[in-house]
Amino acid sequence: MADVAVIGAGYVGLTTAVCLAHLGHDVIGADIDEDRVERLNKGEVPILEDGLPELLAEGLASKRLRFVVGARNAASVADFVFLCVPTPQGDDGSADLSFVDAVAREIATALRPGTVVINKSTMPVGSTKRVQRVLAEAGAPHEDVLVASNPEFLREGTSVRDFLQPNRVVIGCTDTSVAVRVSELYRNLNAPILVTDPASAEMIKYASNAFLATKISFVNAIANLCEAVDADVREVALGMGYDQRIGFEFLYPGPGYGGSCFPKDTAALLYAAEQSGYDFSLLKGVVRVNREQHERMVTKLTALVGGSLSGRTIAVWGLTFKANTDDLRDSPALVIVRRMLEEGATVRAYDPAAGERAAELAPGLEVGADPYEVCHDADALAVLTEWDAFRWMNFDRVAQMLQTPTVLDTRNILDPAALRRQGFTYEGVGR
Ligand code: UDX
């Protein structure tokens, strides 16, 4: 079992740290946020993530896991240092690597010979080389410090499961013996391990996310066409999904994709394509369809309330970028809410996890603590996130609360026939 440092205790770093401790390694998690470190050492998880509290408690109790402030001390006693710091989107779409560079400079002279630094966060092609260079420039013993790429494929909400039951583990490294050492960390997982060169490993991450985004934009485009020709996209997706070459996953139409990864990673890939002189028109189309899909929801809602949102009151269920997370980053729901507010609507929203933080991100938005209360006297209800609880609401009560029983179901999670029987005007996506 290895001594591991995980730098950064966000979604990716925290999941990596608790899961590696669960696999039997000795793990030190590092973060710059003192408060976060203190809370983690007490077993408090700052994010909503299934399974994380249990594994954190297990790691702390077994003494295989602890958290410290600052990267340097953690890195100085590690055989493997995972870089899990943010790589936010720069103004031009490129990934901003300033946090990565700063950590590399901070840890460079503290590393022991033979330590492997592992890029876990999503970083552009060329970042493995770049980290190696920054480490060397900052005084790391060049021959002895090795860098590998080991991208994550963790979905928020199921990140623990995705880590412990991965479809694959990808390791990009120029030195096969180092790749073998990294693969040993995952010895207890039942997954194929792909060892490749760093550039290919980095590209695998971007290509995977861009492909999934493409699938979503494709099915959203088909949904829009279904509306025009009176077909039901859910039947269409089912019929497509049985073809094993296509598969069922990521074929759910909706208000467009969001979150901390797809919008950022598609932008970074487009930036990289542009830099290398390749016109990636397919991916540009994917991004455009996604933007149009957000706006299409606003158009649908406008039509439902009689042609103008001005002076209307809209109840909203769901603000996070998808269900089972409290993450609001790049949430399509917030884009749609902001557009409604711009058009002059009053918007009252309920979300099981996002809470008051959402109001700060969409000035003017009223956030309520009760899904029925936000419907009071509203002209329509818009369901923007697919929280399971929304399926099981008492829609007779919702109908009584609304001024007119009208619902826009952007996630296709409700039963149109049942709602229509209850007197609702129902509108979904592509059905
Ligand atoms: C994603 C990738 O799945 C993961 O592998 C990567 O490492 C990080 O980014 P995540 O951002 O947590 O994970 O969300 P994901 O479940 O992939 O959904 C992304 C967006 O697509 C959400 O807005 C979701 O609502 C939307 N989506 C997903 C659809 O609209 N339709 C679908 O069929 C699937």
Side-chain angles (χ1 to χ4, degrees):
M1 291 299 157
D3 288 320
V4 178
V6 178
I7 315 301
Y11 279 96
V12 173
L14 203 46
T15 303
T16 302
V18 302
C19 288
L20 286 174
H22 178 71
L23 292 175
H25 304 293
D26 286 306
V27 182
I28 303 180
D31 203 280
I32 47 171
D33 182 338
E34 284 177 34
D35 182 50
R36 179 171 280 235
V37 166
E38 197 182 314
R39 287 177 61 192
L40 286 168
N41 279 326
K42 283 191 212 147
E44 292 171 26
V45 178
I47 51 176
L48 179 67
E49 195 59 53
D50 203 26
L52 211 50
E54 292 81 356
L55 287 197
L56 175 62
E58 177 196 281
L60 294 172
S62 68
K63 305 238 184 294
R64 280 198 301 273
L65 176 63
R66 65 194 168 92
F67 294 86
V68 298
V69 178
R72 200 176 158 83
N73 290 340
S76 66
V77 292
D79 306 318
F80 299 90
V81 179
F82 281 87
L83 302 188
C84 301
V85 292
T87 53
Q89 189 176 325
D91 293 337
D92 52 5
S94 66
D96 173 356
L97 293 180
S98 52
F99 294 112
V100 175
D101 290 349
V103 170
R105 279 195 292 270
E106 184 186 338
I107 64 174
T109 54
L111 298 173
R112 303 192 296 210
T115 299
V116 187
V117 175
I118 302 170
N119 289 355
K120 190 62 147 174
S121 309
T122 304
M123 299 185 203
V125 177
S127 297
T128 307
K129 263 194 199 154
R130 176 184 172 129
V131 170
Q132 183 99 44
R133 180 171 48 75
V134 176
L135 285 169
E137 282 168 7
H142 190 63
E143 272 82 64
D144 293 335
V145 174
L146 308 136
V147 185
S149 163
N150 172 217
E152 51 85 14
F153 303 97
L154 310 173
R155 284 165 298 181
E156 286 181 20
T158 56
S159 69
V160 169
R161 203 176 68 204
D162 289 345
F163 192 100
L164 295 174
Q165 297 162 35
N167 291 155
R168 77 302 208 185
V169 173
V170 174
I171 300 166
C173 193
T174 45
D175 184 328
T176 315
S177 65
V178 172
V180 169
R181 282 178 58 206
V182 175
S183 72
E184 288 283 301
L185 293 170
Y186 299 104
R187 178 167 52 196
N188 294 335
L189 299 183
N190 181 19
I193 293 187
L194 173 67
V195 174
T196 184
D197 60 281
S200 301
E202 290 157 348
M203 184 55 97
I204 286 168
K205 172 64 198 249
Y206 280 101
S208 300
N209 273 0
F211 186 77
L212 292 170
T214 303
K215 248 185 135 177
I216 298 168
S217 274
F218 185 85
V219 82
N220 281 335
I222 293 292
N224 298 340
L225 207 49
C226 282
E227 288 176 5
V229 300
D230 237 352
D232 185 337
V233 70
R234 290 174 334 136
E235 303 290 316
V236 175
L238 191 64
M240 287 169 69
Y242 276 116
D243 187 326
Q244 287 173 8
R245 293 169 301 175
I246 299 172
F248 294 104
E249 289 196 65
F250 281 69
L251 268 194
Y252 295 94
Y257 59 77
S260 66
C261 289
F262 287 180
K264 174 168 81 85
D265 293 353
T266 46
L269 193 54
L270 280 175
Y271 178 84
E274 206 178 299
Q275 292 296 300
S276 32
Y278 176 64
D279 180 13
F280 203 156
S281 54
L282 175 63
L283 192 56
K284 284 182 192 161
V286 167
V287 172
R288 198 188 63 232
V289 166
N290 195 53
R291 263 198 310 269
E292 288 167 1
Q293 194 68 6
H294 301 336
E295 189 57 28
R296 201 177 162 91
M297 300 304 116
V298 181
T299 308
K300 272 174 181 283
L301 194 63
T302 308
L304 277 173
V305 297
S308 169
L309 283 168
S310 178
R312 302 293 188 172
T313 299
I314 308 297
V316 163
W317 285 356
L319 292 168
T320 52
F321 82 95
K322 64 174 186 180
N324 306 320
T325 176
D326 56 0
D327 199 340
L328 291 161
R329 285 176 290 176
D330 267 311
S331 171
L334 283 181
V335 175
I336 293 164
V337 163
R338 284 191 208 105
R339 285 285 300 116
M340 292 190 227
L341 291 165
E342 255 170 47
E343 294 296 318
T346 298
V347 186
R348 283 201 302 260
Y350 165 78
D351 186 284
E356 290 295 329
R357 278 179 306 129
E360 291 160 28
L361 298 171
L365 169 68
E366 297 165 31
V367 179
D370 181 286
Y372 298 103
E373 279 304 317
V374 296
C375 293
H376 182 70
D377 261 351
D379 295 281
L381 165 66
V383 178
L384 300 184
T385 307
E386 76 284 19
W387 287 97
D388 204 41
F390 297 157
R391 296 171 205 268
W392 314 110
M393 295 295 191
N394 178 344
F395 281 93
D396 282 326
R397 194 167 157 206
V398 174
Q400 279 163 15
M401 299 295 275
L402 290 169
Q403 212 168 77
T404 34
T406 305
V407 60
L408 172 65
D409 175 14
T410 69
R411 300 283 185 164
N412 289 348
I413 56 169
L414 306 179
D415 179 350
L419 285 171
R420 286 185 183 124
R421 271 198 306 275
Q422 284 167 293
F424 275 88
T425 303
Y426 172 91
E427 175 81 22
V429 177
R431 58 201 302 208

PDB file of all heavy atoms in Angstrom, residues 80-107:
ATOM      1  N   PHE A  80       3.034   9.208  -4.123  1.00  0.00           N
ATOM      2  CA  PHE A  80       2.195   9.673  -5.232  1.00  0.00           C
ATOM      3  C   PHE A  80       1.491  10.955  -4.807  1.00  0.00           C
ATOM      4  O   PHE A  80       0.931  11.014  -3.708  1.00  0.00           O
ATOM      5  CB  PHE A  80       1.133   8.630  -5.586  1.00  0.00           C
ATOM      6  CG  PHE A  80       1.703   7.313  -6.022  1.00  0.00           C
ATOM      7  CD1 PHE A  80       1.957   6.317  -5.080  1.00  0.00           C
ATOM      8  CD2 PHE A  80       2.008   7.072  -7.353  1.00  0.00           C
ATOM      9  CE1 PHE A  80       2.506   5.098  -5.472  1.00  0.00           C
ATOM     10  CE2 PHE A  80       2.558   5.857  -7.754  1.00  0.00           C
ATOM     11  CZ  PHE A  80       2.812   4.867  -6.806  1.00  0.00           C
ATOM     12  N   VAL A  81       1.524  11.966  -5.661  1.00  0.00           N
ATOM     13  CA  VAL A  81       0.839  13.225  -5.354  1.00  0.00           C
ATOM     14  C   VAL A  81      -0.199  13.482  -6.447  1.00  0.00           C
ATOM     15  O   VAL A  81       0.152  13.688  -7.617  1.00  0.00           O
ATOM     16  CB  VAL A  81       1.828  14.411  -5.316  1.00  0.00           C
ATOM     17  CG1 VAL A  81       1.087  15.707  -5.010  1.00  0.00           C
ATOM     18  CG2 VAL A  81       2.920  14.163  -4.293  1.00  0.00           C
ATOM     19  N   PHE A  82      -1.456  13.435  -6.071  1.00  0.00           N
ATOM     20  CA  PHE A  82      -2.527  13.703  -7.041  1.00  0.00           C
ATOM     21  C   PHE A  82      -2.843  15.196  -7.069  1.00  0.00           C
ATOM     22  O   PHE A  82      -3.125  15.788  -6.027  1.00  0.00           O
ATOM     23  CB  PHE A  82      -3.805  12.948  -6.658  1.00  0.00           C
ATOM     24  CG  PHE A  82      -3.783  11.500  -7.027  1.00  0.00           C
ATOM     25  CD1 PHE A  82      -3.248  10.551  -6.162  1.00  0.00           C
ATOM     26  CD2 PHE A  82      -4.298  11.070  -8.245  1.00  0.00           C
ATOM     27  CE1 PHE A  82      -3.232   9.206  -6.511  1.00  0.00           C
ATOM     28  CE2 PHE A  82      -4.287   9.734  -8.604  1.00  0.00           C
ATOM     29  CZ  PHE A  82      -3.751   8.795  -7.736  1.00  0.00           C
ATOM     30  N   LEU A  83      -2.821  15.797  -8.249  1.00  0.00           N
ATOM     31  CA  LEU A  83      -3.220  17.201  -8.382  1.00  0.00           C
ATOM     32  C   LEU A  83      -4.708  17.245  -8.729  1.00  0.00           C
ATOM     33  O   LEU A  83      -5.117  16.819  -9.811  1.00  0.00           O
ATOM     34  CB  LEU A  83      -2.397  17.897  -9.467  1.00  0.00           C
ATOM     35  CG  LEU A  83      -0.871  17.898  -9.283  1.00  0.00           C
ATOM     36  CD1 LEU A  83      -0.204  18.785 -10.338  1.00  0.00           C
ATOM     37  CD2 LEU A  83      -0.483  18.378  -7.881  1.00  0.00           C
ATOM     38  N   CYS A  84      -5.501  17.738  -7.803  1.00  0.00           N
ATOM     39  CA  CYS A  84      -6.959  17.780  -7.978  1.00  0.00           C
ATOM     40  C   CYS A  84      -7.465  19.206  -7.759  1.00  0.00           C
ATOM     41  O   CYS A  84      -8.507  19.415  -7.133  1.00  0.00           O
ATOM     42  CB  CYS A  84      -7.643  16.835  -7.001  1.00  0.00           C
ATOM     43  SG  CYS A  84      -7.125  15.126  -7.163  1.00  0.00           S
ATOM     44  N   VAL A  85      -6.707  20.174  -8.212  1.00  0.00           N
ATOM     45  CA  VAL A  85      -7.108  21.573  -8.016  1.00  0.00           C
ATOM     46  C   VAL A  85      -7.923  22.040  -9.220  1.00  0.00           C
ATOM     47  O   VAL A  85      -7.870  21.435 -10.287  1.00  0.00           O
ATOM     48  CB  VAL A  85      -5.875  22.482  -7.795  1.00  0.00           C
ATOM     49  CG1 VAL A  85      -5.217  22.151  -6.460  1.00  0.00           C
ATOM     50  CG2 VAL A  85      -4.873  22.355  -8.925  1.00  0.00           C
ATOM     51  N   PRO A  86      -8.704  23.118  -9.064  1.00  0.00           N
ATOM     52  CA  PRO A  86      -9.565  23.565 -10.165  1.00  0.00           C
ATOM     53  C   PRO A  86      -8.769  24.008 -11.388  1.00  0.00           C
ATOM     54  O   PRO A  86      -7.662  24.536 -11.267  1.00  0.00           O
ATOM     55  CB  PRO A  86     -10.315  24.761  -9.568  1.00  0.00           C
ATOM     56  CG  PRO A  86     -10.113  24.683  -8.097  1.00  0.00           C
ATOM     57  CD  PRO A  86      -8.851  23.938  -7.861  1.00  0.00           C
ATOM     58  N   THR A  87      -9.360  23.770 -12.553  1.00  0.00           N
ATOM     59  CA  THR A  87      -8.796  24.284 -13.820  1.00  0.00           C
ATOM     60  C   THR A  87      -9.918  25.046 -14.515  1.00  0.00           C
ATOM     61  O   THR A  87     -10.484  24.572 -15.495  1.00  0.00           O
ATOM     62  CB  THR A  87      -8.301  23.123 -14.720  1.00  0.00           C
ATOM     63  OG1 THR A  87      -9.365  22.165 -14.879  1.00  0.00           O
ATOM     64  CG2 THR A  87      -7.116  22.413 -14.108  1.00  0.00           C
ATOM     65  N   PRO A  88     -10.255  26.223 -13.976  1.00  0.00           N
ATOM     66  CA  PRO A  88     -11.440  26.938 -14.486  1.00  0.00           C
ATOM     67  C   PRO A  88     -11.261  27.423 -15.924  1.00  0.00           C
ATOM     68  O   PRO A  88     -10.157  27.409 -16.461  1.00  0.00           O
ATOM     69  CB  PRO A  88     -11.565  28.131 -13.539  1.00  0.00           C
ATOM     70  CG  PRO A  88     -10.218  28.314 -12.933  1.00  0.00           C
ATOM     71  CD  PRO A  88      -9.561  26.984 -12.935  1.00  0.00           C
ATOM     72  N   GLN A  89     -12.395  27.831 -16.486  1.00  0.00           N
ATOM     73  CA  GLN A  89     -12.367  28.289 -17.872  1.00  0.00           C
ATOM     74  C   GLN A  89     -11.890  29.734 -17.946  1.00  0.00           C
ATOM     75  O   GLN A  89     -12.419  30.597 -17.247  1.00  0.00           O
ATOM     76  CB  GLN A  89     -13.777  28.177 -18.448  1.00  0.00           C
ATOM     77  CG  GLN A  89     -13.850  28.426 -19.939  1.00  0.00           C
ATOM     78  CD  GLN A  89     -15.267  28.213 -20.454  1.00  0.00           C
ATOM     79  OE1 GLN A  89     -15.995  27.358 -19.984  1.00  0.00           O
ATOM     80  NE2 GLN A  89     -15.647  29.021 -21.433  1.00  0.00           N
ATOM     81  N   GLY A  90     -10.870  29.982 -18.761  1.00  0.00           N
ATOM     82  CA  GLY A  90     -10.400  31.347 -18.968  1.00  0.00           C
ATOM     83  C   GLY A  90     -11.339  32.099 -19.902  1.00  0.00           C
ATOM     84  O   GLY A  90     -12.261  31.518 -20.467  1.00  0.00           O
ATOM     85  N   ASP A  91     -11.104  33.396 -20.060  1.00  0.00           N
ATOM     86  CA  ASP A  91     -11.988  34.228 -20.882  1.00  0.00           C
ATOM     87  C   ASP A  91     -12.078  33.750 -22.323  1.00  0.00           C
ATOM     88  O   ASP A  91     -13.104  33.899 -22.982  1.00  0.00           O
ATOM     89  CB  ASP A  91     -11.502  35.688 -20.863  1.00  0.00           C
ATOM     90  CG  ASP A  91     -11.659  36.281 -19.467  1.00  0.00           C
ATOM     91  OD1 ASP A  91     -12.497  35.749 -18.710  1.00  0.00           O
ATOM     92  OD2 ASP A  91     -10.929  37.241 -19.144  1.00  0.00           O
ATOM     93  N   ASP A  92     -10.990  33.183 -22.847  1.00  0.00           N
ATOM     94  CA  ASP A  92     -10.987  32.755 -24.253  1.00  0.00           C
ATOM     95  C   ASP A  92     -11.432  31.294 -24.421  1.00  0.00           C
ATOM     96  O   ASP A  92     -11.354  30.747 -25.513  1.00  0.00           O
ATOM     97  CB  ASP A  92      -9.582  32.943 -24.849  1.00  0.00           C
ATOM     98  CG  ASP A  92      -8.512  32.276 -23.980  1.00  0.00           C
ATOM     99  OD1 ASP A  92      -8.888  31.605 -22.992  1.00  0.00           O
ATOM    100  OD2 ASP A  92      -7.314  32.424 -24.287  1.00  0.00           O
ATOM    101  N   GLY A  93     -11.898  30.673 -23.345  1.00  0.00           N
ATOM    102  CA  GLY A  93     -12.343  29.277 -23.439  1.00  0.00           C
ATOM    103  C   GLY A  93     -11.274  28.302 -22.986  1.00  0.00           C
ATOM    104  O   GLY A  93     -11.560  27.158 -22.660  1.00  0.00           O
ATOM    105  N   SER A  94     -10.013  28.754 -22.959  1.00  0.00           N
ATOM    106  CA  SER A  94      -8.930  27.850 -22.569  1.00  0.00           C
ATOM    107  C   SER A  94      -9.021  27.524 -21.076  1.00  0.00           C
ATOM    108  O   SER A  94      -9.641  28.255 -20.309  1.00  0.00           O
ATOM    109  CB  SER A  94      -7.584  28.521 -22.847  1.00  0.00           C
ATOM    110  OG  SER A  94      -7.440  29.638 -21.990  1.00  0.00           O
ATOM    111  N   ALA A  95      -8.394  26.395 -20.690  1.00  0.00           N
ATOM    112  CA  ALA A  95      -8.381  26.039 -19.271  1.00  0.00           C
ATOM    113  C   ALA A  95      -7.290  26.845 -18.572  1.00  0.00           C
ATOM    114  O   ALA A  95      -6.164  26.931 -19.044  1.00  0.00           O
ATOM    115  CB  ALA A  95      -8.138  24.547 -19.119  1.00  0.00           C
ATOM    116  N   ASP A  96      -7.640  27.410 -17.427  1.00  0.00           N
ATOM    117  CA  ASP A  96      -6.708  28.232 -16.653  1.00  0.00           C
ATOM    118  C   ASP A  96      -5.917  27.309 -15.716  1.00  0.00           C
ATOM    119  O   ASP A  96      -6.486  26.690 -14.823  1.00  0.00           O
ATOM    120  CB  ASP A  96      -7.543  29.258 -15.871  1.00  0.00           C
ATOM    121  CG  ASP A  96      -6.726  30.076 -14.888  1.00  0.00           C
ATOM    122  OD1 ASP A  96      -5.506  29.809 -14.750  1.00  0.00           O
ATOM    123  OD2 ASP A  96      -7.299  30.986 -14.261  1.00  0.00           O
ATOM    124  N   LEU A  97      -4.608  27.218 -15.947  1.00  0.00           N
ATOM    125  CA  LEU A  97      -3.793  26.274 -15.175  1.00  0.00           C
ATOM    126  C   LEU A  97      -3.022  26.951 -14.039  1.00  0.00           C
ATOM    127  O   LEU A  97      -2.060  26.378 -13.523  1.00  0.00           O
ATOM    128  CB  LEU A  97      -2.815  25.559 -16.116  1.00  0.00           C
ATOM    129  CG  LEU A  97      -3.479  24.619 -17.143  1.00  0.00           C
ATOM    130  CD1 LEU A  97      -2.444  23.957 -18.028  1.00  0.00           C
ATOM    131  CD2 LEU A  97      -4.306  23.556 -16.450  1.00  0.00           C
ATOM    132  N   SER A  98      -3.447  28.147 -13.643  1.00  0.00           N
ATOM    133  CA  SER A  98      -2.645  28.860 -12.649  1.00  0.00           C
ATOM    134  C   SER A  98      -2.620  28.140 -11.287  1.00  0.00           C
ATOM    135  O   SER A  98      -1.599  28.142 -10.604  1.00  0.00           O
ATOM    136  CB  SER A  98      -3.123  30.308 -12.493  1.00  0.00           C
ATOM    137  OG  SER A  98      -4.495  30.333 -12.256  1.00  0.00           O
ATOM    138  N   PHE A  99      -3.725  27.479 -10.913  1.00  0.00           N
ATOM    139  CA  PHE A  99      -3.711  26.734  -9.635  1.00  0.00           C
ATOM    140  C   PHE A  99      -2.757  25.538  -9.713  1.00  0.00           C
ATOM    141  O   PHE A  99      -2.055  25.222  -8.761  1.00  0.00           O
ATOM    142  CB  PHE A  99      -5.114  26.236  -9.263  1.00  0.00           C
ATOM    143  CG  PHE A  99      -6.092  27.350  -8.961  1.00  0.00           C
ATOM    144  CD1 PHE A  99      -7.158  27.602  -9.797  1.00  0.00           C
ATOM    145  CD2 PHE A  99      -5.932  28.135  -7.833  1.00  0.00           C
ATOM    146  CE1 PHE A  99      -8.052  28.626  -9.527  1.00  0.00           C
ATOM    147  CE2 PHE A  99      -6.820  29.162  -7.547  1.00  0.00           C
ATOM    148  CZ  PHE A  99      -7.887  29.408  -8.403  1.00  0.00           C
ATOM    149  N   VAL A 100      -2.771  24.891 -10.864  1.00  0.00           N
ATOM    150  CA  VAL A 100      -1.897  23.720 -11.061  1.00  0.00           C
ATOM    151  C   VAL A 100      -0.436  24.156 -10.971  1.00  0.00           C
ATOM    152  O   VAL A 100       0.378  23.551 -10.254  1.00  0.00           O
ATOM    153  CB  VAL A 100      -2.174  23.074 -12.442  1.00  0.00           C
ATOM    154  CG1 VAL A 100      -1.192  21.939 -12.704  1.00  0.00           C
ATOM    155  CG2 VAL A 100      -3.612  22.576 -12.525  1.00  0.00           C
ATOM    156  N   ASP A 101      -0.109  25.221 -11.690  1.00  0.00           N
ATOM    157  CA  ASP A 101       1.268  25.731 -11.682  1.00  0.00           C
ATOM    158  C   ASP A 101       1.699  26.112 -10.266  1.00  0.00           C
ATOM    159  O   ASP A 101       2.814  25.811  -9.836  1.00  0.00           O
ATOM    160  CB  ASP A 101       1.396  26.969 -12.583  1.00  0.00           C
ATOM    161  CG  ASP A 101       1.264  26.610 -14.060  1.00  0.00           C
ATOM    162  OD1 ASP A 101       1.291  25.398 -14.371  1.00  0.00           O
ATOM    163  OD2 ASP A 101       1.137  27.528 -14.888  1.00  0.00           O
ATOM    164  N   ALA A 102       0.787  26.781  -9.554  1.00  0.00           N
ATOM    165  CA  ALA A 102       1.135  27.246  -8.197  1.00  0.00           C
ATOM    166  C   ALA A 102       1.436  26.061  -7.283  1.00  0.00           C
ATOM    167  O   ALA A 102       2.404  26.088  -6.520  1.00  0.00           O
ATOM    168  CB  ALA A 102      -0.019  28.083  -7.633  1.00  0.00           C
ATOM    169  N   VAL A 103       0.618  25.012  -7.374  1.00  0.00           N
ATOM    170  CA  VAL A 103       0.863  23.836  -6.532  1.00  0.00           C
ATOM    171  C   VAL A 103       2.183  23.179  -6.930  1.00  0.00           C
ATOM    172  O   VAL A 103       2.996  22.800  -6.071  1.00  0.00           O
ATOM    173  CB  VAL A 103      -0.309  22.823  -6.627  1.00  0.00           C
ATOM    174  CG1 VAL A 103       0.071  21.504  -5.957  1.00  0.00           C
ATOM    175  CG2 VAL A 103      -1.563  23.389  -5.979  1.00  0.00           C
ATOM    176  N   ALA A 104       2.426  23.056  -8.242  1.00  0.00           N
ATOM    177  CA  ALA A 104       3.677  22.421  -8.702  1.00  0.00           C
ATOM    178  C   ALA A 104       4.880  23.179  -8.147  1.00  0.00           C
ATOM    179  O   ALA A 104       5.846  22.579  -7.658  1.00  0.00           O
ATOM    180  CB  ALA A 104       3.705  22.373 -10.225  1.00  0.00           C
ATOM    181  N   ARG A 105       4.811  24.510  -8.181  1.00  0.00           N
ATOM    182  CA  ARG A 105       5.933  25.316  -7.653  1.00  0.00           C
ATOM    183  C   ARG A 105       6.077  25.132  -6.144  1.00  0.00           C
ATOM    184  O   ARG A 105       7.175  25.045  -5.615  1.00  0.00           O
ATOM    185  CB  ARG A 105       5.719  26.797  -7.994  1.00  0.00           C
ATOM    186  CG  ARG A 105       6.134  27.138  -9.438  1.00  0.00           C
ATOM    187  CD  ARG A 105       6.262  28.642  -9.629  1.00  0.00           C
ATOM    188  NE  ARG A 105       4.956  29.289  -9.550  1.00  0.00           N
ATOM    189  CZ  ARG A 105       4.158  29.498 -10.611  1.00  0.00           C
ATOM    190  NH1 ARG A 105       4.545  29.128 -11.811  1.00  0.00           N
ATOM    191  NH2 ARG A 105       2.991  30.065 -10.461  1.00  0.00           N
ATOM    192  N   GLU A 106       4.903  25.033  -5.475  1.00  0.00           N
ATOM    193  CA  GLU A 106       4.937  24.901  -4.010  1.00  0.00           C
ATOM    194  C   GLU A 106       5.566  23.575  -3.565  1.00  0.00           C
ATOM    195  O   GLU A 106       6.324  23.528  -2.600  1.00  0.00           O
ATOM    196  CB  GLU A 106       3.506  25.016  -3.456  1.00  0.00           C
ATOM    197  CG  GLU A 106       3.442  24.980  -1.940  1.00  0.00           C
ATOM    198  CD  GLU A 106       2.008  24.937  -1.401  1.00  0.00           C
ATOM    199  OE1 GLU A 106       1.073  25.337  -2.118  1.00  0.00           O
ATOM    200  OE2 GLU A 106       1.831  24.492  -0.256  1.00  0.00           O
ATOM    201  N   ILE A 107       5.274  22.510  -4.301  1.00  0.00           N
ATOM    202  CA  ILE A 107       5.715  21.189  -3.823  1.00  0.00           C
ATOM    203  C   ILE A 107       7.082  20.773  -4.374  1.00  0.00           C
ATOM    204  O   ILE A 107       7.707  19.852  -3.849  1.00  0.00           O
ATOM    205  CB  ILE A 107       4.676  20.083  -4.159  1.00  0.00           C
ATOM    206  CG1 ILE A 107       4.516  19.898  -5.677  1.00  0.00           C
ATOM    207  CG2 ILE A 107       3.340  20.399  -3.508  1.00  0.00           C
ATOM    208  CD1 ILE A 107       3.610  18.723  -6.067  1.00  0.00           C
TER     209      ILE A 107
END
